[in-house]
Coordinates of all heavy atoms in Angstrom, one line a residue:
M1 N -22.9 6.0 24.8 CA -22.1 6.9 25.8 C -20.7 6.6 25.5 O -20.2 5.5 25.3 CB -22.5 6.5 27.2 CG -21.8 7.4 28.2 SD -22.7 7.3 29.8 CE -21.5 6.3 30.7
A2 N -19.9 7.7 25.6 CA -18.4 7.6 25.4 C -17.8 6.9 26.6 O -18.2 6.9 27.7 CB -17.8 9.0 25.3
N3 N -16.7 6.2 26.3 CA -15.9 5.5 27.3 C -15.2 6.5 28.2 O -14.7 7.6 27.7 CB -14.9 4.6 26.7 CG -15.5 3.3 26.1 OD1 -16.5 2.8 26.7 ND2 -15.0 2.9 25.0
M4 N -15.0 6.2 29.4 CA -14.2 7.0 30.3 C -12.8 6.9 29.9 O -12.3 5.8 29.6 CB -14.5 6.7 31.8 CG -15.9 6.8 32.2 SD -16.6 8.4 32.0 CE -15.9 9.2 33.3
S5 N -12.0 7.9 30.0 CA -10.6 7.9 29.6 C -9.7 6.8 30.3 O -8.8 6.3 29.7 CB -10.0 9.3 29.7 OG -9.9 9.6 31.1
Y6 N -10.1 6.5 31.5 CA -9.3 5.6 32.3 C -9.5 4.1 31.9 O -8.8 3.2 32.3 CB -9.4 5.7 33.8 CG -10.9 5.6 34.3 CD1 -11.3 4.3 34.6 CD2 -11.7 6.7 34.4 CE1 -12.7 4.1 35.0 CE2 -13.0 6.5 34.8 CZ -13.5 5.2 35.1 OH -14.8 5.1 35.5
C7 N -10.6 3.9 31.1 CA -10.9 2.5 30.7 C -11.3 2.3 29.2 O -11.9 1.3 28.9 CB -11.9 1.9 31.6 SG -13.5 2.8 31.7
R8 N -11.1 3.3 28.4 CA -11.6 3.2 27.0 C -11.0 2.0 26.3 O -11.8 1.4 25.5 CB -11.3 4.5 26.3 CG -9.9 4.8 26.0 CD -9.7 6.0 25.0 NE -10.4 7.2 25.4 CZ -9.9 8.3 26.0 NH1 -8.6 8.3 26.1 NH2 -10.6 9.3 26.3
F9 N -9.8 1.7 26.4 CA -9.2 0.6 25.7 C -9.7 -0.7 26.3 O -10.0 -1.7 25.6 CB -7.7 0.6 25.7 CG -7.1 1.7 24.9 CD1 -6.7 2.9 25.4 CD2 -7.1 1.6 23.5 CE1 -6.2 4.0 24.6 CE2 -6.6 2.6 22.7 CZ -6.2 3.8 23.2
Q10 N -9.8 -0.8 27.6 CA -10.4 -2.0 28.3 C -11.8 -2.3 27.8 O -12.2 -3.4 27.6 CB -10.4 -1.9 29.8 CG -9.0 -1.8 30.4 CD -9.0 -1.6 31.9 OE1 -9.9 -2.0 32.6 NE2 -8.0 -0.9 32.4
N11 N -12.6 -1.2 27.7 CA -14.0 -1.4 27.2 C -14.1 -1.7 25.7 O -15.0 -2.3 25.3 CB -14.8 -0.1 27.6 CG -15.0 0.1 29.0 OD1 -14.8 -0.8 29.8 ND2 -15.4 1.3 29.4
T12 N -13.2 -1.2 25.0 CA -13.3 -1.3 23.5 C -12.7 -2.6 23.0 O -13.2 -3.2 22.0 CB -12.6 -0.1 22.8 OG1 -13.2 1.1 23.3 CG2 -12.7 -0.2 21.3
R13 N -11.7 -3.2 23.7 CA -11.0 -4.3 23.2 C -11.9 -5.5 22.9 O -11.8 -6.1 21.9 CB -9.9 -4.8 24.2 CG -9.1 -5.9 23.6 CD -7.9 -6.3 24.4 NE -7.3 -7.4 23.7 CZ -6.3 -8.1 24.2 NH1 -5.8 -7.8 25.4 NH2 -5.9 -9.1 23.6
P14 N -12.9 -5.9 23.8 CA -13.8 -7.0 23.5 C -14.6 -6.7 22.2 O -14.8 -7.7 21.4 CB -14.7 -7.1 24.7 CG -13.9 -6.5 25.8 CD -13.1 -5.4 25.2
D15 N -15.0 -5.5 22.0 CA -15.7 -5.2 20.7 C -14.8 -5.3 19.5 O -15.3 -5.9 18.5 CB -16.3 -3.8 20.8 CG -17.4 -3.6 21.9 OD1 -18.1 -4.6 22.2 OD2 -17.5 -2.5 22.4
V16 N -13.6 -4.9 19.6 CA -12.7 -5.1 18.5 C -12.4 -6.6 18.2 O -12.4 -7.0 17.1 CB -11.3 -4.3 18.7 CG1 -10.3 -4.7 17.7 CG2 -11.6 -2.8 18.8
E17 N -12.3 -7.4 19.3 CA -12.1 -8.8 19.1 C -13.3 -9.4 18.4 O -13.1 -10.3 17.6 CB -11.8 -9.5 20.5 CG -10.5 -9.2 21.0 CD -10.3 -9.7 22.4 OE1 -11.2 -10.3 23.0 OE2 -9.1 -9.5 23.0
D18 N -14.5 -9.0 18.8 CA -15.7 -9.5 18.1 C -15.7 -9.1 16.6 O -16.1 -9.9 15.8 CB -16.9 -8.9 18.8 CG -18.2 -9.4 18.3 OD1 -18.4 -10.6 18.2 OD2 -19.1 -8.5 17.9
C19 N -15.3 -7.9 16.3 CA -15.2 -7.5 14.9 C -14.2 -8.3 14.1 O -14.5 -8.8 13.0 CB -14.8 -6.0 14.8 SG -16.0 -4.8 15.4
L20 N -13.0 -8.6 14.7 CA -12.0 -9.4 14.1 C -12.5 -10.8 13.9 O -12.3 -11.5 12.8 CB -10.7 -9.4 14.9 CG -10.0 -8.1 14.9 CD1 -8.8 -8.1 15.9 CD2 -9.5 -7.7 13.5
D21 N -13.2 -11.4 14.9 CA -13.8 -12.7 14.8 C -14.8 -12.8 13.6 O -14.8 -13.7 12.8 CB -14.5 -13.2 16.0 CG -13.5 -13.5 17.2 OD1 -12.3 -13.8 16.9 OD2 -14.0 -13.6 18.3
A22 N -15.6 -11.7 13.5 CA -16.6 -11.7 12.4 C -15.9 -11.7 11.0 O -16.3 -12.4 10.1 CB -17.5 -10.5 12.5
L23 N -14.8 -10.9 10.9 CA -14.0 -10.9 9.7 C -13.4 -12.3 9.4 O -13.4 -12.8 8.3 CB -13.0 -9.8 9.7 CG -13.5 -8.4 9.8 CD1 -12.3 -7.4 9.9 CD2 -14.3 -8.1 8.5
R24 N -12.8 -12.9 10.4 CA -12.2 -14.2 10.3 C -13.2 -15.2 9.8 O -12.9 -16.1 9.0 CB -11.5 -14.6 11.6 CG -10.2 -13.9 11.9 CD -9.6 -14.4 13.2 NE -8.5 -13.6 13.6 CZ -8.6 -12.7 14.6 NH1 -9.6 -12.7 15.4 NH2 -7.5 -12.0 14.9
D25 N -14.4 -15.1 10.4 CA -15.5 -16.1 10.0 C -16.2 -15.7 8.8 O -17.2 -16.4 8.4 CB -16.4 -16.2 11.2 CG -15.8 -16.8 12.5 OD1 -14.8 -17.5 12.4 OD2 -16.4 -16.6 13.6
E26 N -15.8 -14.6 8.1 CA -16.4 -14.1 6.9 C -17.9 -13.9 7.1 O -18.7 -14.3 6.2 CB -16.1 -15.0 5.7 CG -14.6 -15.1 5.5 CD -14.2 -16.0 4.3 OE1 -15.1 -16.5 3.6 OE2 -13.0 -16.2 4.1
K27 N -18.3 -13.3 8.2 CA -19.7 -13.0 8.4 C -20.2 -12.0 7.5 O -19.5 -11.0 7.1 CB -19.9 -12.5 9.9 CG -19.5 -13.5 10.9 CD -20.5 -14.5 11.2 CE -20.1 -15.4 12.4 NZ -21.0 -16.3 12.7
R28 N -21.4 -12.1 7.0 CA -22.0 -11.1 6.1 C -22.3 -9.8 6.9 O -22.7 -9.9 8.0 CB -23.3 -11.6 5.5 CG -23.1 -13.0 4.7 CD -22.1 -12.9 3.7 NE -22.5 -12.2 2.5 CZ -21.8 -11.8 1.5 NH1 -20.5 -12.1 1.5 NH2 -22.3 -11.1 0.5
L29 N -22.1 -8.7 6.2 CA -22.3 -7.4 6.8 C -23.3 -6.6 6.1 O -23.3 -6.6 4.8 CB -20.9 -6.6 6.9 CG -19.8 -7.3 7.6 CD1 -18.5 -6.5 7.3 CD2 -20.0 -7.4 9.1
S30 N -24.0 -5.8 6.8 CA -24.9 -4.8 6.1 C -24.0 -3.8 5.4 O -22.8 -3.6 5.8 CB -25.8 -4.1 7.1 OG -25.1 -3.3 7.9
T31 N -24.5 -3.0 4.5 CA -23.8 -2.0 3.8 C -23.2 -1.0 4.8 O -22.0 -0.6 4.7 CB -24.6 -1.3 2.8 OG1 -25.1 -2.2 1.8 CG2 -23.9 -0.2 2.0
D32 N -24.0 -0.6 5.8 CA -23.6 0.4 6.8 C -22.5 -0.2 7.7 O -21.5 0.5 8.0 CB -24.7 0.9 7.6 CG -25.7 1.8 6.9 OD1 -25.3 2.3 5.9 OD2 -26.8 1.9 7.4
E33 N -22.6 -1.5 8.0 CA -21.6 -2.1 8.9 C -20.3 -2.2 8.1 O -19.2 -2.0 8.6 CB -22.0 -3.5 9.4 CG -22.8 -3.4 10.6 CD -22.0 -3.0 11.8 OE1 -21.2 -3.8 12.4 OE2 -22.2 -1.8 12.2
A34 N -20.4 -2.6 6.8 CA -19.2 -2.7 6.0 C -18.4 -1.4 5.9 O -17.2 -1.3 6.0 CB -19.5 -3.3 4.6
K35 N -19.2 -0.3 5.6 CA -18.6 1.0 5.5 C -17.9 1.4 6.8 O -16.8 1.9 6.8 CB -19.7 2.1 5.2 CG -20.1 2.1 3.8 CD -21.2 3.2 3.5 CE -21.8 3.1 2.2 NZ -22.9 4.0 2.0
A36 N -18.6 1.2 7.9 CA -18.0 1.5 9.2 C -16.8 0.7 9.5 O -15.8 1.2 10.0 CB -19.1 1.3 10.4
G37 N -16.8 -0.5 9.2 CA -15.6 -1.4 9.4 C -14.5 -0.9 8.6 O -13.3 -0.8 9.0
R38 N -14.7 -0.6 7.3 CA -13.6 -0.2 6.4 C -13.1 1.1 6.9 O -11.9 1.3 7.0 CB -14.2 0.0 5.0 CG -13.1 0.5 4.1 CD -13.4 0.4 2.7 NE -12.4 1.0 1.9 CZ -12.5 2.0 1.0 NH1 -13.7 2.4 0.7 NH2 -11.5 2.5 0.4
W39 N -13.9 2.1 7.3 CA -13.5 3.4 7.8 C -12.6 3.1 9.1 O -11.6 3.8 9.3 CB -14.6 4.3 8.1 CG -15.3 4.8 6.8 CD1 -14.8 4.8 5.6 CD2 -16.6 5.3 6.7 NE1 -15.7 5.3 4.7 CE2 -16.8 5.6 5.3 CE3 -17.6 5.5 7.6 CZ2 -18.1 6.1 4.9 CZ3 -18.9 6.0 7.2 CH2 -19.0 6.3 5.8
M40 N -13.1 2.2 10.0 CA -12.4 2.0 11.2 C -11.0 1.4 10.9 O -10.0 1.9 11.5 CB -13.2 1.0 12.1 CG -12.5 0.7 13.4 SD -13.4 -0.4 14.5 CE -13.0 -2.0 13.7
F41 N -10.9 0.5 10.0 CA -9.6 -0.1 9.7 C -8.7 0.9 9.0 O -7.5 1.0 9.2 CB -9.7 -1.4 8.9 CG -9.9 -2.6 9.8 CD1 -11.2 -2.9 10.2 CD2 -8.9 -3.3 10.2 CE1 -11.4 -4.0 11.0 CE2 -9.1 -4.4 11.1 CZ -10.3 -4.8 11.5
D42 N -9.3 1.7 8.1 CA -8.6 2.8 7.4 C -7.9 3.7 8.5 O -6.8 4.1 8.4 CB -9.5 3.6 6.5 CG -9.4 3.2 5.1 OD1 -8.4 2.7 4.7 OD2 -10.4 3.5 4.4
D43 N -8.7 4.1 9.5 CA -8.2 5.0 10.5 C -7.1 4.4 11.3 O -6.1 5.0 11.6 CB -9.4 5.4 11.5 CG -10.4 6.4 10.9 OD1 -10.1 7.0 9.8 OD2 -11.4 6.5 11.5
I44 N -7.3 3.1 11.7 CA -6.3 2.4 12.5 C -5.0 2.2 11.7 O -3.9 2.5 12.2 CB -6.8 1.1 13.0 CG1 -7.9 1.3 14.1 CG2 -5.7 0.2 13.6 CD1 -8.7 0.1 14.4
L45 N -5.1 1.8 10.4 CA -4.0 1.6 9.6 C -3.3 2.9 9.2 O -2.0 2.9 9.2 CB -4.4 0.8 8.3 CG -4.7 -0.7 8.6 CD1 -5.4 -1.3 7.4 CD2 -3.5 -1.5 9.0
D46 N -4.0 4.0 9.0 CA -3.4 5.3 8.8 C -2.6 5.7 10.0 O -1.5 6.2 9.9 CB -4.5 6.3 8.5 CG -5.0 6.3 7.0 OD1 -4.4 5.6 6.2 OD2 -6.1 6.9 6.8
F47 N -3.2 5.5 11.2 CA -2.5 5.8 12.4 C -1.2 5.0 12.5 O -0.1 5.6 12.8 CB -3.4 5.5 13.6 CG -2.6 5.7 14.9 CD1 -2.4 6.9 15.5 CD2 -2.1 4.6 15.6 CE1 -1.7 7.0 16.7 CE2 -1.4 4.7 16.7 CZ -1.2 5.9 17.3
C48 N -1.2 3.7 12.2 CA 0.0 2.9 12.3 C 1.0 3.3 11.3 O 2.2 3.4 11.6 CB -0.4 1.4 12.1 SG -1.3 0.7 13.4
R49 N 0.6 3.7 10.1 CA 1.5 4.2 9.1 C 2.1 5.6 9.5 O 3.3 5.8 9.5 CB 0.8 4.4 7.7 CG 1.7 4.7 6.6 CD 1.0 5.2 5.4 NE 0.2 6.3 5.7 CZ -1.0 6.5 5.2 NH1 -1.6 5.6 4.4 NH2 -1.7 7.6 5.5
D50 N 1.3 6.4 10.0 CA 1.7 7.8 10.4 C 2.7 7.7 11.6 O 3.6 8.5 11.7 CB 0.6 8.7 10.8 CG -0.3 9.0 9.6 OD1 0.1 8.8 8.4 OD2 -1.5 9.5 9.8
M51 N 2.6 6.7 12.5 CA 3.4 6.5 13.6 C 4.7 5.7 13.3 O 5.5 5.5 14.2 CB 2.6 5.9 14.8 CG 1.5 6.8 15.3 SD 2.0 8.4 15.9 CE 2.9 8.0 17.3
G52 N 4.8 5.2 12.1 CA 6.0 4.5 11.7 C 5.9 3.0 12.1 O 6.9 2.3 12.1
I53 N 4.7 2.5 12.5 CA 4.6 1.1 12.9 C 4.5 0.2 11.7 O 5.1 -0.9 11.7 CB 3.3 1.0 13.8 CG1 3.4 1.8 15.0 CG2 2.9 -0.5 14.1 CD1 2.1 2.0 15.8
I54 N 3.9 0.7 10.6 CA 3.9 0.0 9.4 C 4.3 1.0 8.3 O 4.2 2.2 8.5 CB 2.5 -0.6 9.0 CG1 1.5 0.4 8.9 CG2 2.1 -1.7 10.0 CD1 0.1 -0.1 8.4
D55 N 4.9 0.4 7.2 CA 5.3 1.3 6.1 C 4.1 1.7 5.2 O 4.0 2.9 4.8 CB 6.3 0.6 5.2 CG 7.6 0.4 5.9 OD1 8.0 1.2 6.8 OD2 8.3 -0.6 5.7
S56 N 3.2 0.8 5.0 CA 2.1 1.1 4.1 C 1.1 -0.1 4.2 O 1.3 -1.0 4.9 CB 2.5 1.3 2.7 OG 3.0 0.1 2.1
Y57 N 0.0 0.1 3.6 CA -1.0 -1.0 3.5 C -1.8 -0.8 2.2 O -1.7 0.2 1.5 CB -2.0 -1.0 4.7 CG -2.9 0.2 4.8 CD1 -4.2 0.1 4.3 CD2 -2.5 1.4 5.4 CE1 -5.1 1.2 4.3 CE2 -3.4 2.5 5.5 CZ -4.7 2.4 4.9 OH -5.5 3.4 5.0
D58 N -2.4 -1.9 1.7 CA -3.1 -1.9 0.5 C -4.5 -1.5 0.7 O -5.4 -2.4 1.1 CB -3.0 -3.3 -0.1 CG -3.5 -3.4 -1.5 OD1 -4.4 -2.6 -1.9 OD2 -3.1 -4.3 -2.3
A59 N -4.9 -0.3 0.5 CA -6.2 0.2 0.7 C -7.2 -0.5 -0.3 O -8.4 -0.8 0.1 CB -6.3 1.7 0.4
G60 N -6.8 -0.9 -1.4 CA -7.6 -1.6 -2.4 C -8.0 -3.0 -1.8 O -9.1 -3.5 -2.0
M61 N -7.1 -3.6 -1.2 CA -7.3 -5.0 -0.6 C -8.3 -4.8 0.6 O -9.2 -5.7 0.8 CB -6.0 -5.6 -0.1 CG -6.2 -7.0 0.4 SD -4.6 -7.8 0.8 CE -4.1 -8.3 -0.8
L62 N -8.1 -3.8 1.4 CA -9.1 -3.5 2.5 C -10.5 -3.3 1.9 O -11.4 -3.9 2.5 CB -8.6 -2.3 3.3 CG -9.4 -1.9 4.5 CD1 -9.3 -3.0 5.5 CD2 -8.9 -0.6 5.1
E63 N -10.6 -2.5 0.9 CA -11.9 -2.2 0.3 C -12.5 -3.5 -0.3 O -13.7 -3.8 0.0 CB -11.8 -1.2 -0.9 CG -13.1 -0.9 -1.5 CD -12.9 0.2 -2.6 OE1 -11.8 0.6 -2.9 OE2 -14.0 0.6 -3.1
A64 N -11.7 -4.4 -0.9 CA -12.2 -5.6 -1.5 C -12.6 -6.6 -0.4 O -13.6 -7.3 -0.5 CB -11.1 -6.3 -2.3
L65 N -11.9 -6.6 0.8 CA -12.3 -7.4 1.9 C -13.8 -7.1 2.3 O -14.6 -7.9 2.4 CB -11.4 -7.2 3.1 CG -11.8 -7.9 4.4 CD1 -11.8 -9.4 4.3 CD2 -11.0 -7.3 5.5
F66 N -14.0 -5.8 2.6 CA -15.3 -5.4 3.1 C -16.4 -5.5 2.0 O -17.5 -5.8 2.3 CB -15.2 -4.0 3.7 CG -14.7 -4.1 5.1 CD1 -13.3 -3.8 5.3 CD2 -15.5 -4.4 6.2 CE1 -12.8 -3.9 6.6 CE2 -14.9 -4.5 7.5 CZ -13.6 -4.2 7.7
D67 N -16.0 -5.2 0.7 CA -17.0 -5.3 -0.4 C -17.4 -6.8 -0.5 O -18.6 -7.1 -0.7 CB -16.4 -4.9 -1.7 CG -16.4 -3.4 -1.8 OD1 -17.0 -2.7 -1.0 OD2 -15.7 -2.9 -2.8
G68 N -16.5 -7.7 -0.3 CA -16.8 -9.1 -0.4 C -17.7 -9.6 0.7 O -18.4 -10.7 0.6
L69 N -17.7 -9.0 1.8 CA -18.5 -9.4 3.0 C -19.8 -8.6 3.0 O -20.7 -9.0 3.9 CB -17.8 -9.2 4.3 CG -16.5 -10.0 4.5 CD1 -15.8 -9.6 5.8 CD2 -16.8 -11.5 4.5
T70 N -20.0 -7.7 2.2 CA -21.3 -6.9 2.2 C -22.4 -7.7 1.6 O -22.3 -8.2 0.5 CB -21.1 -5.6 1.4 OG1 -20.0 -4.8 1.9 CG2 -22.3 -4.7 1.4
E71 N -23.5 -7.7 2.3 CA -24.7 -8.3 1.8 C -25.2 -7.6 0.6 O -25.4 -6.4 0.7 CB -25.8 -8.4 2.9 CG -25.5 -9.2 4.1 CD -26.5 -9.2 5.2 OE1 -27.4 -8.2 5.2 OE2 -26.5 -10.0 6.1
K72 N -25.4 -8.3 -0.4 CA -26.0 -7.7 -1.6 C -27.5 -7.8 -1.6 O -28.0 -8.8 -1.1 CB -25.4 -8.3 -2.9 CG -23.8 -8.4 -2.9 CD -23.2 -7.0 -3.0 CE -21.7 -7.1 -3.1 NZ -21.0 -6.3 -2.2
E73 N -28.1 -6.9 -2.3 CA -29.6 -7.0 -2.4 C -30.1 -8.3 -3.0 O -31.1 -8.9 -2.6 CB -30.1 -5.8 -3.2 CG -30.0 -4.5 -2.5 CD -30.6 -3.4 -3.3 OE1 -31.5 -3.6 -4.1 OE2 -30.1 -2.2 -3.1
D74 N -29.3 -8.9 -3.9 CA -29.7 -10.1 -4.6 C -29.6 -11.3 -3.6 O -30.3 -12.3 -3.7 CB -28.7 -10.5 -5.7 CG -28.9 -9.5 -6.9 OD1 -30.0 -8.9 -7.0 OD2 -28.0 -9.4 -7.7
D75 N -28.8 -11.2 -2.5 CA -28.6 -12.2 -1.5 C -30.0 -12.4 -0.8 O -30.2 -13.6 -0.3 CB -27.6 -11.9 -0.4 CG -26.2 -11.9 -1.0 OD1 -26.0 -12.4 -2.1 OD2 -25.2 -11.5 -0.3
D76 N -30.8 -11.4 -0.7 CA -32.1 -11.5 0.0 C -33.1 -12.4 -0.8 O -34.0 -12.9 -0.2 CB -32.7 -10.2 0.3 CG -31.8 -9.3 1.2 OD1 -31.1 -9.9 2.0 OD2 -31.9 -8.1 1.2
D77 N -32.9 -12.5 -2.1 CA -33.8 -13.2 -3.0 C -33.6 -14.7 -3.0 O -34.4 -15.4 -3.4 CB -33.7 -12.7 -4.4 CG -34.2 -11.2 -4.5 OD1 -34.9 -10.8 -3.6 OD2 -33.7 -10.5 -5.5
E78 N -32.4 -15.1 -2.5 CA -32.0 -16.5 -2.6 C -32.7 -17.4 -1.5 O -33.2 -17.0 -0.5 CB -30.5 -16.7 -2.4 CG -29.8 -16.1 -3.6 CD -28.3 -16.2 -3.5 OE1 -27.8 -16.9 -2.6 OE2 -27.6 -15.6 -4.3

């Protein structure tokens, strides 16, 4: 269900903090989770760039971050 407009940021912030903790802890991600995470950060960073908050960001580094955390099929065999 979508967040109500009067509390969308309040409701979303704990989830974003959980996502950041997972990245900091280098938690393994499914392929779908890694794609969703990368797209989410792409959207946020594009917004920040478009609003003049940041000048640019390294999209390749962002991709490498999520690729490095993606569970590979071979990981299941270990």
